[in-house]
Amino acid sequence: MSLYADSDYPVRDEITAAHTEQIARLGEAGTWGTGAQRRAVAVETRKACYDAGILEPSASEDLETDVDLPEGVRDAIRVLAADCKEFDQSHYQLARDAGLSDEEYTEVMAIVSFVTDLDVFARGIGVDPLPIPAAKPGNPTRERPVEAVPEQAFVP
């Protein structure tokens, strides 16, 4: 059964396949975060959108997590997810002050952006947001791209 079978709008197979693969990866270890940490970021993103009234909560959704994200990280997630026009370098600094490295910050913000994009897509076609998967065991790769150098952004 397709992820988007409940939609009144057709969704191309390659989009459904990409979203299926991408949502599943949220529970897996990434480059800098474990599966549990990445899931916690996705959950916090979803909660921020629910709290802001951007999305309607699903009664069946599991938003429990064993990871307690630092307040500065949660703040950066909430602003980027639900009020991105207000996001600035001070939110980056809050996350850094909360203990995130540049690399961890980059992965967290990528997850926020990814979950938000998927949720807006789901809302646009009239279906519930995709469930955030359970965390899977595994270790992050911790492989920093050699191309990541300081330029004009908050992080290399």
Side-chain angles (χ1 to χ4, degrees):
M1 181 174 180
S2 170
L3 287 179
Y4 301 121
D6 293 341
S7 175
D8 291 335
Y9 301 96
V11 177
R12 293 192 332 245
D13 290 343
E14 60 269 22
I15 291 174
T16 300
H19 289 186
T20 300
E21 178 185 332
Q22 292 168 345
I23 198 76
R25 288 191 350 225
L26 283 176
E28 298 173 358
T31 307
W32 297 99
T34 65
Q37 290 167 329
R38 290 166 51 84
R39 184 179 191 288
V41 171
V43 165
E44 190 67 31
T45 301
R46 184 82 42 91
K47 286 180 179 178
C49 291
Y50 292 158
D51 291 347
I54 296 169
L55 296 174
E56 293 293 323
S58 171
S60 63
E61 187 170 31
D62 176 16
L63 295 178
E64 296 299 317
T65 178
D66 294 334
V67 175
D68 187 24
L69 298 171
E71 182 59 34
V73 175
R74 287 197 319 267
D75 181 62
I77 290 169
R78 285 191 294 263
V79 174
L80 185 60
D83 196 15
C84 62
K85 70 183 181 326
E86 297 299 321
F87 194 86
D88 61 21
Q89 193 163 1
S90 69
H91 298 96
Y92 161 72
Q93 196 57 53
L94 282 171
R96 289 297 315 267
D97 292 347
L100 288 188
S101 67
D102 281 338
E103 295 88 356
E104 291 166 326
Y105 171 86
T106 301
E107 185 164 356
V108 166
M109 295 300 108
I111 293 166
V112 173
S113 299
F114 171 69
V115 170
T116 304
D117 289 348
L118 278 182
D119 289 353
V120 168
F121 181 85
R123 180 179 177 189
I125 63 169
V127 300
D128 288 336
L130 301 174
I132 298 169
K136 296 177 182 169
N139 295 314
T141 63
R142 303 269 179 188
E143 294 174 5
R144 181 185 167 102
V146 295
E147 299 85 6
V149 297
E151 292 183 308
Q152 297 180 3
F154 304 153
V155 298

